[in-house]
Amino acid sequence: MKHTISALVENKSGVLAKIAGLFSARGFNIDSLAVGETQDPSISRMTIVVRGDDAVLEQVCKQLNKLVDVIKVQDFAGKDFVDRELILLKVSTDSKTRHEVLQIVEIFRAKIIDIKAKSMTIEATGSDSKVNAIIDMLRPFGIKELARTGKIAIARG
Amino acid sequence: MKHTISALVENKSGVLAKIAGLFSARGFNIDSLAVGETQDPSISRMTIVVRGDDAVLEQVCKQLNKLVDVIKVQDFAGKDFVDRELILLKVSTDSKTRHEVLQIVEIFRAKIIDIKAKSMTIEATGSDSKVNAIIDMLRPFGIKELARTGKIAIARG
């Protein structure tokens, strides 16, 4: 099962390496990871999407909670939360295909943020499924580059 | 100086821990990190924002390039690139302040993605400075939670 784990950690050198080490020691591969400051610059929030055995992952979360630099760990599995991801995508276009690409961008309420004779760079946000849908729609034109932030999440209410 | 480093890496368990370890061994603190799949699911892109000594960072990039699981490392410093970040922010609101918060959301072309009697959850994207500006404008209302993806970047052209 896919888990979205949010960890509040001290914004210090080495914390990320420790946490990444805990996951890799158990053989978990991290699908995506996003780390940024919170409203308090001394605290960062890591959002980790990981697939694996539920029981082992519960163990990993308990171990995370024991690290001195970890303030709070939350597994969103089964909880009510909102999540979003941002992608930047450079797609091949020319005078013939540009119109069709623009239509797709409009349907997904994405944005063009750069344009050249042979490519356009697109910014899109949404849930996993929305972001994957726009990637799938643009793939036939030729995706030159793709950068994904990985998911971030916040509990509802 | 602030550096935005983009690394294409094999999507394998342990790669993130190795890379995070390289930075922490040199005492660099990572401001933000975003890891997600690329158009090829066997390859992930890491975007790392890090501050520190230019010469030492160049060394770290060279060491990264030597790791077998690292395909390509690019330092965007001094190059022409577009970058964006996504934030989710839960702000305290009530019937009196809601209107003012909505105005700020509109000015920044952000989106309301959840609303409760005492809070609103907002999605915003942009450059560092835009994202920091909306956070600063909403801070007086009371930020309950903030999640940032960290920056992702793509070269222009």
Side-chain angles (χ1 to χ4, degrees):
Chain A
M1 193 187 153
K2 230 180 195 175
H3 288 255
T4 303
I5 293 161
S6 172
L8 290 173
V9 302
E10 301 282 346
N11 188 1
K12 279 183 194 165
S13 175
V15 178
L16 176 64
K18 258 187 236 164
I19 292 178
L22 254 180
F23 281 95
S24 77
R26 299 292 191 119
F28 282 109
N29 191 18
I30 291 172
D31 270 19
S32 77
L33 172 78
V35 193
E37 285 180 0
T38 61
Q39 63 270 40
D40 174 353
S42 71
I43 296 171
S44 293
R45 181 192 295 270
M46 299 177 65
T47 311
I48 305 161
V49 178
V50 72
R51 237 178 300 218
D53 184 77
D54 287 11
V56 180
L57 199 59
E58 204 189 317
Q59 285 278 314
V60 173
C61 284
K62 278 184 189 159
Q63 287 185 311
L64 281 179
N65 256 319
K66 280 182 197 157
L67 295 177
V68 274
D69 298 322
V70 173
I71 297 154
K72 193 186 164 190
V73 179
Q74 199 177 0
D75 185 345
F76 282 119
K79 302 222 174 75
D80 195 17
F81 64 100
V82 283
D83 63 327
R84 289 290 185 278
E85 185 174 10
L86 166 73
I87 61 166
L88 295 180
L89 185 152
K90 194 185 285 178
V91 63
S92 294
T93 51
D94 57 29
S95 56
K96 284 176 200 157
T97 58
R98 201 170 290 139
H99 180 71
E100 209 180 331
V101 170
L102 281 173
Q103 269 186 336
I104 294 167
V105 166
E106 204 173 309
I107 289 165
F108 284 96
R109 291 179 199 176
K111 285 180 204 162
I112 309 287
I113 56 171
D114 195 33
I115 183 160
K116 301 279 169 187
K118 290 187 176 172
S119 70
M120 286 204 278
T121 302
I122 294 160
E123 170 196 332
T125 60
S127 61
D128 263 24
S129 56
K130 181 183 160 184
V131 160
N132 288 331
I134 190 167
I135 294 169
D136 287 344
M137 287 300 292
L138 292 172
R139 205 182 292 275
F141 299 94
I143 296 174
K144 291 178 155 188
E145 274 184 80
L146 173 64
R148 300 178 73 138
T149 58
K151 200 195 260 194
I152 51 171
I154 271 187
R156 280 193 195 269
Chain B
M1 194 187 152
K2 231 180 196 178
H3 288 255
T4 302
I5 293 162
S6 173
L8 290 173
V9 302
E10 301 282 348
N11 188 3
K12 279 185 197 164
S13 174
V15 178
L16 175 64
K18 257 188 236 164
I19 293 178
L22 255 180
F23 280 95
S24 77
R26 299 293 191 118
F28 281 110
N29 191 17
I30 291 173
D31 271 18
S32 77
L33 172 78
V35 193
E37 285 179 359
T38 62
Q39 64 271 41
D40 174 353
S42 71
I43 295 171
S44 295
R45 182 192 295 270
M46 299 177 66
T47 312
I48 305 161
V49 178
V50 71
R51 238 179 298 221
D53 184 78
D54 287 10
V56 179
L57 199 59
E58 203 188 318
Q59 284 278 315
V60 174
C61 285
K62 278 184 190 159
Q63 286 184 311
L64 281 179
N65 257 321
K66 280 182 199 159
L67 295 177
V68 274
D69 298 321
V70 173
I71 297 154
K72 192 186 165 192
V73 179
Q74 201 178 359
D75 184 344
F76 283 118
K79 302 223 174 74
D80 196 15
F81 64 101
V82 282
D83 64 328
R84 289 291 186 277
E85 184 175 9
L86 165 71
I87 61 165
L88 296 180
L89 184 154
K90 195 186 284 178
V91 63
S92 295
T93 51
D94 56 29
S95 56
K96 284 177 198 156
T97 58
R98 201 169 289 137
H99 180 72
E100 209 181 330
V101 169
L102 281 173
Q103 269 187 336
I104 294 167
V105 166
E106 205 174 308
I107 289 163
F108 284 96
R109 292 182 198 173
K111 284 180 205 162
I112 308 288
I113 56 169
D114 194 32
I115 183 159
K116 301 279 171 187
K118 291 187 176 172
S119 70
M120 286 204 280
T121 302
I122 294 159
E123 170 195 332
T125 60
S127 61
D128 263 24
S129 55
K130 182 184 160 185
V131 160
N132 289 330
I134 188 166
I135 294 169
D136 286 344
M137 287 299 291
L138 292 172
R139 206 181 290 276
F141 299 94
I143 296 175
K144 290 178 154 191
E145 276 185 78
L146 173 65
R148 302 177 73 137
T149 58
K151 200 194 260 193
I152 52 172
I154 272 186
R156 280 193 194 270

